[in-house]
Amino acid sequence: MTAYLYPGDLADHQITATLRGKSLTIEKYGDVPDVVELSAFGGRVNEFPDLASVSPDYAPLLVQQADGSATLDLKTVHQPVVIPGTLQDGRVCSVSVSRMSSKNGWGRAEYYMLETDDNGDLVLEPGDYHREIWVSGDPSAWTRASIAAAQTPPIAEASVTGAWLLQRPFYGSTEAQKVSGAVAQLIIEAMHAAVASDRIHPSWWLYVERGYDYTGLDIKINLHGESPLHPRVIRAFGTGSVPKGIKYGNSGAYWPANLVSIGVDLDITLMRTFENWLTADTDFIGRHREFSGDKSRGLTLYRTKTFDGARQVPVNGSTWTAHPDRSSGIYFSDVLGSLFLDTFWDKNGWVQDQVVDGTWNNGQYGQPPSIYSHNVYTSEGQVDMSWHGMLTMRGASLGGQMRIGGWQIDCTAIDNMLGLQNSGLRWSDVEGNLATQTGFFPINIRTVATSGRDGNYITSAGAKKTGLDFLGVQSVDVDCLVLHVSNPDDAAEVAAKNNHQFSPNNSYYAYKHGRGSLWSNLVVRRWNGDLNLAGLVTSFIDTITIQRWAGQKLGKASATIAEYATYCRGLSPRQLQLEIKAVNRYLLSAREPNLELPMEDRTTPQVLTFKPDFRGEGFRSDNPLNWSSKDTPINGDSLEIGDNIVKWVKDSRSLEALSMGEQGIFQASSGKVSFEAVDAGSHIEVGEYGKFYADSFDGFATVRGGRFAVNGPSAGDFEASGQGQLILGPDCRIRDGETLRIVGDMGKVGWDAISPSSVLTVEAGGTLEFHATALMRFDAFNLTAWDKALYDFLGQTSGASGKFDSWRRIERNGFVRIRDLIGTPIVGEKTTEGGFFKPANGTISAILGATIGKIESSWRGRAGTAVSGANHNIILKPGSFLRLTGSPLTPGPTRDLTGVGIVVTDEGAIKDTGLSVTGDKLVLAV
């Protein structure tokens, strides 16, 4: 029923109408309430002091924060839209959202970074089928001939084969029994021949002695580690120079995946595909490196030094030219997820003894600088880049060029033609033309440039004496500094550099916001002028110089930049890590009174509250803007994340407590994080590279990779898929309405081998589910472009759909597991998938049935054998459910769904067809 009121001349009066006991009051008849107009940026987090609600379609994007404000996370809103809402005082509001100004917005901050200890050293874990191989170029190392001669009686050298060596781990398994490169290659090839399963890859670790050139050690078998947490490892040992000459021949059949190299200069240029390569604690000296990954994924440099990388001979064999002879410390393209963490770069792309007219004269003159040569050079095909802790010095042109945009945090550039650039767009992009442009939002935090080099380029003009280049749309720079183009203590240098003035072809500027700045508090001192010096004492600022800092390190009043570079080159990995931070903070002390973020490292644990900052991505744990302390978590902290989604990135910490709201999600993406206490009902997600540990747990956990581990009692909803590892804890309960779901066979679910006893209880109404994944073979398909983010699988002919769960490559064949499959794929049909990269369609060459997992009681990377007397039990209570879902399994022998040492007790579970408890085992008969 509709009632119409005609109040006549009651305009401006309060009126109340009552009908059938219900009343409606109009405070001021005829007065249309004002709509408060608000604005927001598409693709970004937006902050509002008093936004109470928005329309239902956008309500999940609104989060009320602990300080009483609200954030509206519009990272998924790319086009203009008007969102109705209300304010805390009840007024109506309208949020006008502008179109996202960046093609791709923010990267996902997913990087191949593993756990580290208190000294920053990587913590590595071997796999199921593991062997260490110690290799040396020393003449005393075992060769085939010396091994044959040492047998009783002696045998023929030809009898020392890979298979023979596999049965005799004495050879090569310790430093004392190190072998030659040729013997190591035999062992490697035999390990691969002994394992035909696509599920397990041999986990050999190659230890290579320093001080030798290993030219000829060509690793022909692929460098494909078992999983991201259990990688293939090539590591240096001993003293002396960096091992060189270890060659890897890339091809369509073999490429690196889940590889960690430490202290070894691999002769490896990746022109095609790789996935998850972490190289650490290595000096790369005197060689141009180019990584043109064909839709590759996961490149991490950690505590590396790269210097003196230049060409020795011109490409044309006679004269140096700018573009053909371009050379950098590193050039890479088409890589999804690259992290440069605590890296040092010096004097790449040029040499001191050169002339800029291009003269080579058969080696008399080395490579001159050009605008195409840099310390760090990235292409416009990059996706998701983060430079965190970088010291880059004396590059041929740029200290670092992040062409496509990303995160630059705690980076310091010294004496480059141009210090650091964070573009966010290609040079050819037209701002606002999202149909053609590419790029990501750029942000710089505590980025410093000091001393601008005034050199000359070969055949072409370019930037000189330039500090920081914030070229992207809506660029953000927080607590950044451009300091002293010339040494204020050196009058001659001051006069020489100031004689160079700005001109269109010979740029000279402190900074540039090329396409507009969203937020900046940049300070500039003595670099083509000053900026934002209010409250600062210039006489003090002028005492903060890189030359004085270098002098402190070398025990004198002042030292040259070249002397400081030599000092840094000689540091150990841990010393380098500390120095990169120390020099950054020293230079920032010039502007300490107006810094937003704290200078000193916090040592006292406290409770940190997470609140997404509008200037950044709003989800990274290692972005200090997002925390109430304005720094990042330290050991002993407690975290309160509310209803926000927080992604733990790269760090390893032991924390006190984690609390969150009903809508909050904590994602362990990389590194390791452990908590003594976690709120009941918490939502945890673990990605491929992350480790999440808790002393107890009662909530929701989705483990797509990495490891989720509970040390004490646990309960809740759990799902393990991909190569995820789910350690249940000694007392795990699946209660009414809760499910433990095991997807496929690539992951691991169960208990630590070191646990003396444990029990999994599935209570009445609880479910233990085994989900079978379809297994297919793809031929000649670029699998590594599959971002492993549960991307959709779709058969173009059959229409069958599902999600990619995991894959394994053996030579040219890709063995792929599909979860949640609906329909029937057809051999020969092409498939489609999405993501940042859209490769050529793959073709299904075989459908190989389905795979199913199990619950096990021993763990790879652990003790290897169960503790004597271990007692692991599964109890299925009356009214519990035992489910089998997913793709049809191939009929065959009975499958055991529980591993060795597990006793199953069935007290009356409701079981799907084919599942039973036989004896004390959970089995499946199809």
Side-chain angles (χ1 to χ4, degrees), residues 241-263:
S241 60
V242 174
K244 291 185 177 181
I246 303 173
K247 185 178 181 181
Y248 164 74
N250 197 4
S251 70
Y254 308 113
W255 78 87
N258 307 325
L259 170 67
V260 174
S261 56
I262 302 175

Side-chain angles (χ1 to χ4, degrees), residues 640-921:
E640 295 181 347
I641 71 171
D643 286 323
N644 297 292
I645 298 175
V646 176
K647 180 173 288 187
W648 187 266
V649 180
K650 74 176 173 49
D651 296 324
S652 294
R653 298 287 186 270
S654 296
L655 304 178
E656 181 74 17
L658 173 65
S659 66
M660 65 182 71
E662 291 184 3
Q663 304 305 313
I665 300 176
F666 187 92
Q667 301 172 330
S669 173
S670 53
K672 178 186 177 182
V673 60
S674 60
F675 292 95
E676 293 184 15
V678 178
D679 270 3
S682 292
H683 291 247
I684 308 299
E685 296 178 356
V686 184
E688 280 187 88
Y689 318 132
K691 294 180 181 179
F692 181 97
Y693 282 68
D695 283 356
S696 61
F697 185 79
D698 185 352
F700 306 85
T702 303
V703 188
R704 280 284 302 139
R707 179 181 299 144
F708 176 95
V710 184
N711 301 319
S714 62
D717 275 287
F718 302 93
E719 178 182 277
S721 61
Q723 289 190 284
Q725 300 178 11
L726 174 58
I727 300 178
L728 298 172
D731 181 10
C732 180
R733 308 185 77 83
I734 307 300
R735 298 165 303 204
D736 184 17
E738 298 173 341
T739 299
L740 167 57
R741 189 177 194 234
I742 302 170
V743 178
D745 69 332
M746 289 293 284
K748 291 272 189 157
V749 178
W751 296 279
D752 276 334
I754 59 176
S755 299
S757 62
S758 54
V759 61
L760 166 64
T761 304
V762 186
E763 299 180 356
T767 301
L768 174 58
E769 176 189 345
F770 293 87
H771 180 85
T773 53
L775 178 61
M776 306 178 194
R777 187 177 70 224
F778 287 72
D779 290 338
F781 182 53
N782 187 355
L783 293 175
T784 57
W786 300 358
D787 204 9
K788 291 188 182 173
L790 280 181
Y791 281 166
D792 292 340
F793 162 88
L794 179 64
Q796 293 186 7
T797 302
S798 67
S801 64
K803 293 183 180 296
F804 291 112
D805 180 70
S806 59
W807 63 269
R808 178 73 82 193
R809 179 112 168 193
I810 296 180
E811 296 188 345
R812 295 184 183 274
N813 297 314
F815 292 84
V816 184
R817 288 157 171 80
I818 307 297
R819 63 180 289 173
D820 303 321
L821 182 65
I822 299 174
T824 304
I826 300 172
V827 172
E829 73 172 322
K830 293 183 179 296
T831 66
T832 61
E833 61 92 25
F836 283 118
F837 293 137
K838 302 188 187 310
N841 296 329
T843 301
I844 300 174
S845 61
I847 298 174
L848 305 173
T851 65
I852 192 167
K854 62 171 61 176
I855 298 178
E856 302 177 89
S857 62
S858 62
W859 281 86
R860 65 182 93 180
R862 297 280 166 170
T865 58
V867 174
S868 177
N871 181 20
H872 302 296
N873 297 273
I874 299 175
I875 301 174
L876 305 174
K877 290 292 186 179
S880 62
F881 296 96
L882 195 57
R883 298 298 190 206
L884 175 64
T885 63
S887 298
L889 291 156
T890 303
T894 298
R895 295 172 171 88
D896 191 349
L897 301 185
T898 49
V900 176
I902 296 178
V903 175
V904 183
T905 302
D906 181 11
E907 298 181 359
I910 302 169
K911 296 176 280 293
D912 283 352
T913 301
L915 293 170
S916 65
V917 176
T918 302
D920 57 4
K921 292 293 182 184

Side-chain angles (χ1 to χ4, degrees), residues 99-165:
R99 182 176 59 181
M100 184 171 72
S101 61
S102 171
K103 175 71 171 181
N104 296 315
W106 293 102
R108 299 182 310 158
E110 294 186 0
Y111 309 116
Y112 187 37
M113 186 61 196
L114 301 177
E115 177 186 354
T116 56
D117 62 18
D118 290 341
N119 289 319
D121 295 331
L122 291 170
V123 176
L124 302 175
E125 301 181 16
D128 280 335
Y129 181 31
H130 178 68
R131 180 163 176 171
E132 293 183 358
I133 309 171
W134 295 72
V135 183
S136 176
D138 191 292
S140 66
W142 288 106
T143 64
R144 294 181 75 184
S146 63
I147 292 172
Q151 304 310 303
T152 304
I155 61 175
E157 181 178 340
S159 298
V160 181
T161 64
W164 187 92
L165 289 163

Side-chain angles (χ1 to χ4, degrees), residues 137-383:
D138 191 292
S140 66
W142 288 106
T143 64
R144 294 181 75 184
S146 63
I147 292 172
Q151 304 310 303
T152 304
I155 61 175
E157 181 178 340
S159 298
V160 181
T161 64
W164 187 92
L165 289 163
L166 278 187
Q167 303 303 314
R168 295 162 178 82
F170 173 83
Y171 297 105
S173 292
T174 64
E175 180 179 351
Q177 306 303 329
K178 55 196 178 187
V179 297
S180 68
V183 172
Q185 185 64 41
L186 286 176
I187 298 172
I188 291 170
E189 293 177 1
M191 289 186 72
H192 282 266
V195 179
S197 168
D198 74 296
R199 184 172 181 262
I200 299 175
H201 272 212
S203 173
W204 53 261
W205 289 5
L206 192 66
Y207 289 80
V208 186
E209 188 165 14
R210 290 184 174 92
Y212 298 98
D213 189 324
Y214 294 88
T215 299
L217 180 55
D218 187 356
I219 303 174
K220 295 174 181 150
I221 298 298
N222 68 50
L223 293 173
H224 199 140
E226 182 180 297
S227 71
L229 293 194
H230 306 283
R232 187 69 41 83
V233 176
I234 302 178
R235 186 170 200 160
F237 74 93
T239 60
S241 60
V242 174
K244 291 185 177 181
I246 303 173
K247 185 178 181 181
Y248 164 74
N250 197 4
S251 70
Y254 308 113
W255 78 87
N258 307 325
L259 170 67
V260 174
S261 56
I262 302 175
V264 177
D265 186 358
L266 292 177
D267 185 3
I268 183 169
T269 297
L270 306 174
M271 299 303 293
R272 297 196 63 180
T273 304
F274 65 91
E275 182 180 20
N276 301 338
W277 181 23
L278 191 166
T279 184
D281 301 350
T282 302
D283 292 354
F284 297 107
I285 306 171
R287 199 151 53 86
H288 167 75
R289 281 164 183 78
E290 183 169 328
F291 300 91
S292 298
D294 182 7
K295 307 299 185 289
S296 294
R297 177 171 179 257
L299 175 64
T300 298
L301 303 184
Y302 176 53
R303 302 197 309 194
T304 59
K305 300 183 214 148
T306 305
F307 52 89
D308 294 343
R311 296 185 185 274
Q312 304 303 310
V313 179
V315 171
N316 62 21
S318 60
T319 304
W320 294 110
T321 53
H323 190 265
D325 287 318
R326 61 194 182 279
S327 175
S328 299
I330 188 172
Y331 171 84
F332 62 107
S333 65
D334 293 334
V335 178
L336 171 62
S338 54
L339 171 66
F340 290 0
L341 179 59
D342 298 328
T343 58
F344 171 78
W345 311 81
D346 180 43
K347 206 172 185 183
N348 293 292
W350 69 294
V351 300
Q352 200 72 38
D353 187 15
Q354 46 80 25
V355 290
V356 294
D357 66 1
T359 301
W360 179 53
N361 198 23
N362 291 319
Q364 180 180 2
Y365 298 106
Q367 182 177 7
S370 84
I371 62 172
Y372 307 106
S373 298
H374 315 292
N375 271 345
V376 183
Y377 189 3
T378 67
S379 83
E380 61 193 28
Q382 287 300 111
V383 177

